[in-house]
Amino acid sequence: MGIIKERFKGKADEVAADIKDVLKDHGTKKIGEVQLAQIYQGMRGMTGLVTETSLLDAQEGIRFRGYSIPELQERLPKADGGSEPLPEGLFYLMLVGELPTDEDVQHVTSVWQRRSHVPNHVFATIEALPVSAHPMTQFVVGVMALQTESQFAKRYAAGMNKKDYWDAVFDDAMDLIARLPRIAAYIYRRKYKNGEHIQPNGLLDWAGNFAHMLGYGDNGFKELMRLYMTIHADHEGGNVSAHTTHLVGSALSDPYLSYAAGMNGLAGPLHGLANQEVIKWIFEMREELKTELPSKEQITEYVQKTLNSGKVVPGYGHAVLRKTDPRFTAQMEFGKKHMPNDPLVQTVWNIYDAVPPVLQSLGKIKNPWPNVDAHSGALLVHYGMVEYEFYTVLFAVSRALGVLASLSWDRALGFPLERPKSVTHDAVKKWLKGEDEIWGE
Ligand code: HAX
């Protein structure tokens, strides 16, 4: 067994034994109280899942195994000469629950390098799609084509013992993460760079090599990718992409099928696609106002117009967070350090000043503050990546780290099929009249 696999299994066995004890002593204890509105309104605030890799606090933002983003920026290993964390380190932390050493991170890098080969039929499958297909469509199709390589699916078909599910899921998770940058870069070069592909550089770290294959040799872009891949990786378990991956995996669909399902959810505009929508919205505003740097007054007016036409302001609001997203702040700090005078980046900051008071004045929005997607596009454009339809693919590559570490935990802890109860509106009304006592009491 590999070093990380062994450490992961050791930790998972400890937690599994503890869960058994906790359930034996406290299994009937009530956690929260479900209100009728919650089952109609997206289950907000309803605790319904256990996800080990990270925990979201509405005021403070995300913590990965207890560490905030600034703490990770300080404590996770960096590339030589770099100052942003290596996402390999975050993956190790989410998986094993402890901060990695430099050697641990080098080990993850080299395992992913070794496992990064993508078979030709995956590229041929992508090539069968029109080049005009959205990059997220091409990406998910590529992942589905790669499912032929699933060790879980093969071992299950051969009659695997349920005690070994975690082992096959772990191996699929490592293989898939290793291969995703190649698939994503292939789609980018196919769609936007005349199919001029760039071979991987085996000397680079996972995110650095991804930047290289995308065609961005600049050290600043490599650093941005390391930060980007770290901060987009996980946001506890209830968001659409994480929850979907977990749900589909609970049917023992293999990690390729589960991750692809999750990424179909990430491709929605209220979730990960918001990152392309933000930059599209800013470009349209600049075009309409005929200025590179709209004033705060102009932005305020444009926001009103967006709201009046029945659209959301992309990049603002959140289902759980009630403060500025620390992932936004981390990107703002990156912008201040590397490109403080970039007019697009300054526009993102002016929007940050202008939008919250307008959203607050509507009185119905629970969180008027920016989320992760409000900032990311402007940093990418600075380095020349203007093709905003591709942005959600970057998010998807990063999100693999969190959802696949979580899927490994799901199987190691032996979590069962997820199957909550649903009711009809009619049944609710009967229950309210006291005519139906079957559920809810
Ligand atoms: N602009 C306009 N209206 C907004 C809004 C925004 N940015 N955010 C929320 N609202 C509206 C909602 O549409 C809802 O309106 P109705 O009552 O008319 O339906 C009302 O305010 C209450 O919504 P809420 O309770 O504050 O927010 P939700 O938990 O329902 O939704 C969303 C959270 C993130 C979906 C929402 O804030 C939104 O649509 N934001 C814009 C899209 C976006 O940035 N998505 C990315 C979120 C982060 C993420 O997942 N990244 O991947």
Side-chain angles (χ1 to χ4, degrees):
M1 222 191 287
I3 307 168
I4 303 172
K5 203 182 203 180
E6 215 167 291
R7 283 182 201 161
F8 163 67
K9 182 61 171 143
K11 291 280 171 191
D13 283 348
E14 272 172 41
V15 177
D18 198 47
I19 290 176
K20 222 172 159 185
D21 288 346
V22 167
L23 290 183
K24 193 165 134 264
D25 297 339
H26 308 285
T28 55
K29 208 166 174 176
K30 294 224 162 118
I31 179 162
E33 207 177 297
V34 176
Q35 293 167 0
L36 190 55
Q38 290 177 294
I39 71 169
Y40 281 92
Q41 293 170 347
M43 298 191 271
R44 293 293 183 287
M46 192 191 288
T47 304
L49 296 166
V50 173
T51 297
E52 289 296 277
T53 44
S54 64
L55 187 61
L56 181 57
D57 180 275
Q59 305 298 324
E60 271 195 3
I62 194 69
R63 280 184 181 269
F64 301 87
R65 298 287 191 174
Y67 295 99
S68 67
I69 287 174
E71 284 165 357
L72 291 183
Q73 284 177 297
E74 204 187 307
R75 302 184 65 168
L76 284 180
K78 325 264 184 305
D80 277 347
S83 54
E84 297 300 340
L86 287 167
E88 288 91 327
L90 176 68
F91 178 75
Y92 181 99
L93 175 67
M94 288 190 290
L95 195 70
V96 179
E98 288 166 9
L99 285 171
T101 61
D102 286 347
E103 293 69 43
D104 293 329
V105 163
Q106 278 161 19
H107 177 69
V108 178
T109 301
S110 68
V111 170
W112 288 350
Q113 275 165 359
R114 268 205 314 278
R115 295 180 173 216
S116 63
H117 174 73
V118 175
N120 277 337
H121 75 268
V122 173
F123 302 124
T125 307
I126 293 169
E127 288 295 339
L129 289 168
V131 98
S132 60
H134 191 279
M136 276 304 279
T137 307
Q138 301 196 37
F139 181 71
V140 176
V141 166
V143 172
M144 288 307 302
L146 193 58
Q147 189 269 348
T148 52
E149 309 308 295
S150 171
Q151 304 194 38
F152 184 92
K154 286 190 191 98
R155 288 174 65 182
Y156 192 88
M160 172 168 48
N161 186 314
K162 68 202 293 190
K163 289 201 180 78
D164 296 329
Y165 290 169
W166 75 271
D167 183 275
V169 165
F170 182 99
D171 281 335
D172 274 356
M174 295 300 264
D175 285 347
L176 186 47
I177 293 169
R179 291 155 162 172
L180 289 174
R182 189 81 208 282
I183 297 177
Y186 186 91
I187 293 163
Y188 181 73
R189 304 292 305 179
R190 170 182 192 237
K191 190 167 168 77
Y192 304 113
K193 305 289 172 189
N194 300 317
E196 289 157 16
H197 298 291
I198 299 171
Q199 288 308 305
N201 177 345
L203 298 175
L204 287 169
D205 54 284
W206 183 73
N209 185 38
F210 186 24
H212 158 78
M213 289 189 289
L214 288 165
Y216 296 86
D218 190 290
N219 266 335
F221 189 85
K222 287 199 184 95
E223 280 287 274
L224 176 61
M225 274 305 100
R226 290 168 189 136
L227 175 67
Y228 191 112
M229 292 294 131
T230 299
I231 63 176
H232 286 80
D234 208 35
H235 219 222
E236 75 170 28
N239 65 77
V240 171
S241 52
H243 187 189
T244 307
T245 307
H246 166 83
L247 168 69
V248 175
S250 83
L252 298 184
S253 303
D254 65 59
Y256 294 81
L257 299 171
S258 308
Y259 169 73
M263 294 311 105
N264 281 315
L266 191 76
L270 296 189
H271 191 17
L273 202 81
N275 63 7
Q276 78 164 44
E277 295 301 294
V278 166
I279 217 71
K280 185 166 165 244
W281 183 81
I282 297 176
F283 283 169
E284 284 167 2
M285 172 168 65
R286 297 208 305 190
E287 174 88 24
E288 189 172 315
L289 301 173
K290 308 231 171 317
T291 169
E292 262 210 326
L293 197 55
S295 67
K296 289 178 196 167
E297 291 70 31
Q298 285 176 306
I299 294 170
T300 301
E301 234 172 83
Y302 195 79
V303 171
Q304 295 285 9
K305 210 175 137 195
T306 301
L307 294 171
N308 291 342
S309 58
K311 295 190 246 171
V312 294
V313 179
Y316 280 76
H318 199 273
V320 179
L321 274 171
R322 295 295 174 256
K323 285 271 168 70
T324 296
D325 191 335
R327 301 172 298 174
F328 176 90
T329 312
Q331 295 179 89
M332 194 169 174
E333 295 303 321
F334 188 94
K336 282 182 190 161
K337 186 171 161 191
H338 295 277
M339 58 203 71
N341 300 319
D342 183 305
L344 185 62
V345 172
Q346 286 180 349
T347 299
V348 167
W349 300 342
N350 287 339
I351 293 171
Y352 182 28
D353 284 337
V355 166
V358 183
L359 293 183
Q360 240 152 359
S361 72
L362 297 178
K364 66 170 184 179
I365 296 175
K366 295 194 191 69
N367 177 36
W369 303 107
N371 58 57
V372 65
D373 301 316
H375 209 311
S376 52
L379 303 180
L380 295 165
V381 171
H382 177 83
Y383 291 105
M385 186 181 269
V386 294
E387 303 91 353
Y388 54 74
E389 281 199 341
F390 187 73
Y391 294 173
T392 310
V393 175
L394 297 176
F395 195 155
V397 173
S398 167
R399 188 46 60 104
L401 303 177
V403 300
L404 293 172
S406 279
L407 203 62
S408 303
W409 272 94
D410 290 348
R411 297 290 77 76
L413 296 178
F415 285 164
L417 181 79
E418 188 181 310
R419 204 319 188 171
K421 172 89 185 88
S422 77
V423 288
T424 62
H425 180 56
D426 200 39
V428 169
K429 288 205 292 190
K430 280 189 181 144
W431 171 70
L432 288 173
K433 282 193 219 150
E435 290 169 14
D436 190 347
E437 299 293 330
I438 298 167
W439 61 276
E441 292 297 322

